[in-house]
Amino acid sequence: YLVNNPDFFIRNARQIEQMRVPHPVRDSISLVEWQMGRQRNHIEQLEEEITLLMEQATTNEILFTRLINLQCQLVQADSLQDLLDRLRQWARSLGLVDATIRLFNEKWHLGAPSDFTHLSLPRQSFEPMRIQRLGNRNQYLGPLNGPEILLLMPEAKMVGSVALSLLGKRGDLGMVIFTSRDPQHYQQGMGTLILDQLSLILPGLLSRWIEPV
């Protein structure tokens, strides 16, 4: 009826002012109060949404700045060891314990006389862990058990939680792992923007010193 009679409120302005609407707390309120209450709730909801968007924008800006800084650092590396050191220093600047790179030996020439054979990891030995921890994803954030830590980071100590990302578009080149002492630092559901970008950036940088198969 109101849709078909848009002038209803104009023609019945005095009656509208006297109307009372049931209210769950105050028994009843005027129609004007009810409408103002709805508008206040709508404004509060909009303010909350704007605040959330601003917080997300700030977070994205911080992540983008960190990623750009890391890219600049890694590009300036003049050796593979320098690249690994720069990645580790960047991780520690964020309060993390370490950053580790492991490369699947089926995809890289890492045999002797290379000084970096310790980066090599057989894909077959990682496959059970990939199925259990990652499934169809390219990232895993959370804790690792003892055998998993021993497989990926045999010299690591005090590993509470990790952020692990497979390298390359298909995730078949290896992985980068960031470690924290805090078991709750990395958890499933957290954003993976930096991990996503690093997984694409690192293979090209590594190929400067390690020949892909």
Side-chain angles (χ1 to χ4, degrees):
Y1 175 81
L2 294 177
V3 173
N4 295 327
N5 296 271
D7 61 340
F8 173 84
F9 290 101
I10 297 175
R11 291 187 287 103
N12 300 277
R14 181 168 297 180
Q15 289 83 354
I16 294 300
E17 292 177 357
Q18 298 173 355
M19 286 182 62
R20 309 296 292 179
V21 178
H23 191 272
V25 178
R26 296 170 52 192
D27 292 334
S28 65
I29 58 175
S30 71
L31 186 60
V32 174
E33 288 178 303
W34 177 76
Q35 180 63 17
M36 290 179 63
R38 289 195 63 187
Q39 290 177 342
R40 281 195 298 269
N41 291 337
H42 183 59
I43 291 172
E44 290 175 358
Q45 183 179 356
L46 288 176
E47 289 176 343
E48 291 177 0
E49 292 176 356
I50 291 172
T51 299
L52 180 59
L53 288 174
M54 292 178 65
E55 291 175 351
Q56 291 175 340
T58 300
T59 300
N60 289 337
E61 182 179 359
I62 293 172
L63 291 175
F64 182 74
T65 300
R66 287 177 176 175
L67 180 60
I68 292 297
N69 290 339
L70 176 58
Q71 282 185 268
C72 292
Q73 289 292 321
L74 297 181
V75 168
Q76 296 176 43
D78 56 16
S79 68
L80 179 54
Q81 187 59 56
D82 189 24
L83 176 76
L84 299 176
D85 290 341
R86 288 171 182 264
L87 183 62
R88 181 175 292 111
Q89 290 169 5
W90 179 82
R92 290 176 177 172
S93 73
L94 300 180
L96 302 175
V97 176
D98 206 354
T100 304
I101 289 178
R102 300 301 304 271
L103 303 174
F104 296 135
N105 55 13
E106 299 87 350
K107 295 291 184 177
W108 304 85
H109 290 290
L110 277 168
S114 171
D115 294 328
F116 296 93
T117 55
H118 59 283
L119 300 182
S120 176
L121 178 69
R123 176 64 183 263
Q124 185 176 0
S125 63
F126 174 71
E127 192 62 12
M129 178 182 169
R130 184 196 67 77
I131 294 172
Q132 180 178 358
R133 294 293 191 181
L134 285 79
N136 294 323
R137 301 182 302 273
N138 275 4
Q139 289 88 22
Y140 169 74
L141 294 91
L144 297 178
N145 60 37
E148 292 169 339
I149 295 173
L150 187 62
L151 171 67
L152 301 182
M153 302 167 290
E155 298 181 0
K157 298 179 180 179
M158 298 181 66
V159 177
S161 58
V162 305
L164 182 156
S165 180
L166 299 179
L167 300 180
K169 292 182 179 180
R170 294 189 294 271
D172 60 345
L173 301 178
M175 69 196 72
V176 58
I177 311 165
F178 294 98
T179 56
S180 171
R181 289 187 178 89
D182 183 359
Q184 303 299 321
H185 186 83
Y186 288 118
Q187 302 178 41
Q188 292 287 35
M190 297 176 67
T192 59
L193 174 62
I194 291 182
L195 290 177
D196 293 338
Q197 295 303 312
L198 271 181
S199 69
L200 301 177
I201 294 169
L202 282 173
L205 295 172
L206 291 166
S207 64
R208 294 163 62 185
W209 300 287
I210 307 175
E211 182 182 358
V213 174

